[in-house]
Amino acid sequence: MKIAIDGPASSGKSSIAKLLSKKLNFEYIDTGALYRAITYIIYKKHINIQDEKLITDIIKSSKFEFIDNKLYLNNKSIDVEIRKNIISQRVSEVAAQPFIRKLLNNVIRNISNHLKNIIIDGRDIGTVVLPNADLKIYLDASPKIRAYRRYLELIDKNESVILEKLEEEIIERDFIDTNREVDPLKKADDAIIIVTDDLNIRQVVDKIYDLLNNDL
Ligand code: CDP
């Protein structure tokens, strides 16, 4: 069984996918973490994002692994680094590069190919990565609520962020993700929308769990 979860920035995809994967005993692949990892490498090494040859070499020679839902790059956990707001501010520009999407889709395919029961979350999962998923969910919430959730998350990690600025950044990221030419953020025609403004994580997980048990 394959479950696709898409939605805009901070709509709760990864928290929900993590809990649901535990409840169902499914594997979980966080594709946003892969886009964040490439962004981290590009900025750490001061690489020009147009440098297709160098970025291709790096992606092809790197090992990406999810262990306990955390991303490891060449056997090193980079989970803390890739969640920093500086990476969030830059990731959408990187993810809009068609050659990077093609390479990462191969990485995602290699990780998921041999897995029978998986949840994958991202922006183009229901439309591109898993067009034949058994269940497609599109999570949404207002930018204000999403910014506030991300604010609490970053404050908890001792990052100093300003709520209003975070909201602007989230709106900008949504704009880039929705309007890029290749594989934009889009609800698949057969996806079920869940608006999470008034729902906590547990309630959303239960909703998806009920959908699985009642409808499939
Ligand atoms: O957790 P958050 O909602 O902030 O974002 P994420 O899922 O970690 O994804 C970070 C960024 O990666 C997104 O804003 C997209 O630009 C990009 N992304 C993408 O283009 N396609 C995917 N399948 C997943 C993420």
Side-chain angles (χ1 to χ4, degrees):
M1 153 124 15
K2 300 198 188 307
I3 302 175
I5 304 183
D6 288 298
S10 298
S11 52
K13 298 177 302 293
S14 59
S15 321
I16 285 151
K18 267 182 207 158
L19 274 185
L20 190 66
S21 67
K22 283 218 171 73
K23 198 166 166 144
L24 296 168
N25 202 16
F26 279 24
E27 296 292 332
Y28 163 50
I29 299 174
D30 175 355
T31 63
L34 294 168
Y35 286 95
R36 285 171 176 274
I38 301 310
T39 306
Y40 169 70
I41 297 170
I42 286 175
Y43 285 99
K44 194 167 171 228
K45 300 194 172 185
H46 306 286
I47 297 170
N48 181 334
I49 66 167
Q50 314 285 350
D51 193 338
E52 185 164 344
K53 159 114 189 38
L54 181 56
I55 297 173
T56 302
D57 285 349
I58 291 175
I59 295 180
K60 286 195 169 163
S61 62
S62 300
K63 184 167 93 172
F64 299 94
E65 261 181 314
F66 286 97
I67 302 173
D68 280 341
N69 292 331
K70 295 208 176 344
L71 181 61
Y72 284 71
L73 171 67
N74 301 328
N75 304 317
K76 184 176 171 272
S77 170
I78 51 166
D79 216 71
V80 172
E81 290 86 341
I82 63 172
R83 307 284 162 200
K84 295 219 158 121
N85 201 43
I86 186 86
I87 299 298
S88 304
Q89 288 163 345
R90 295 166 160 179
V91 62
S92 288
E93 196 194 353
V94 172
Q97 301 294 321
F99 77 94
I100 294 183
R101 304 200 66 79
K102 213 163 148 198
L103 289 161
L104 285 188
N105 277 338
N106 275 334
V107 172
I108 297 164
R109 226 166 280 131
N110 287 339
I111 299 176
S112 63
N113 257 349
H114 65 285
L115 300 171
K116 204 164 159 279
N117 293 317
I118 42 170
I119 300 176
I120 307 188
D121 80 352
R123 301 292 187 287
D124 56 347
I125 310 306
T127 49
V128 176
V129 178
L130 291 178
N132 300 318
D134 301 280
L135 178 66
K136 297 181 187 178
I137 300 291
Y138 189 90
L139 292 181
D140 210 350
S142 65
K144 260 208 161 31
I145 295 269
R146 291 188 281 123
Y148 187 61
R149 288 177 186 157
R150 184 54 47 103
Y151 174 78
L152 294 180
E153 213 177 279
L154 291 170
I155 289 288
D156 194 47
K157 291 177 184 166
N158 295 320
E159 276 213 49
S160 68
V161 280
I162 298 163
L163 179 59
E164 290 72 22
K165 188 155 178 289
L166 268 186
E167 188 180 340
E168 282 168 21
E169 288 170 3
I170 278 182
I171 291 171
E172 192 192 340
R173 188 140 65 94
D174 289 350
F175 182 84
I176 302 174
D177 289 345
T178 313
N179 291 288
R180 69 177 171 231
E181 276 179 29
V182 177
D183 306 343
L185 164 65
K186 190 170 175 270
K187 179 190 132 359
D189 291 338
D190 50 350
I192 296 168
I193 297 187
I194 302 180
V195 177
T196 70
D197 289 59
D198 299 319
L199 300 174
N200 63 33
I201 289 171
R202 173 61 57 195
Q203 288 171 314
V204 179
V205 170
D206 289 345
K207 231 183 199 324
I208 302 176
Y209 191 76
D210 289 347
L211 281 171
L212 278 168
N213 287 322
N214 296 335
D215 296 350
L216 296 178

